Amino acid sequence: MTDRPQYPTLTITALKRWAPPPALAGFVALLIVMFGAAYAVGASAGPVAPGMRSTEVESPGFVGDLGRPHGHTGGTGGTR
């Protein structure tokens, strides 16, 4: 009985070339499992502070321009 050498087809060769390394695939799978476990633990724990509400509803958290003219970037260049 004569053994023929096994030649991979062009499709299999192309797939092996473009497939991610097994370590990368395992790392991504581990990330997905860890994210799922963390989400499950967080969902089972519930909200951290269920009754927490803001006391001031209409007060902005930050006034953006702080009295400076619009377009001021804080640099030293430009007109004075």
Side-chain angles (χ1 to χ4, degrees):
M1 184 154 78
T2 307
D3 290 331
R4 291 186 321 170
Q6 297 290 327
Y7 295 109
T9 63
L10 183 61
T11 306
I12 293 174
T13 306
L15 286 176
K16 285 183 179 180
R17 184 180 321 153
W18 293 105
L24 178 64
F27 179 70
V28 170
L30 179 65
L31 283 178
I32 291 170
V33 168
M34 294 301 292
F35 178 77
Y39 184 80
V41 168
S44 68
V48 176
M52 186 190 295
R53 299 267 192 272
S54 176
T55 56
E56 296 181 39
V57 176
E58 297 189 25
S59 174
F62 176 71
V63 178
D65 63 344
L66 298 173
R68 288 185 252 159
H70 293 285
H72 180 73
T73 60
T76 57
T79 60
R80 290 185 184 222

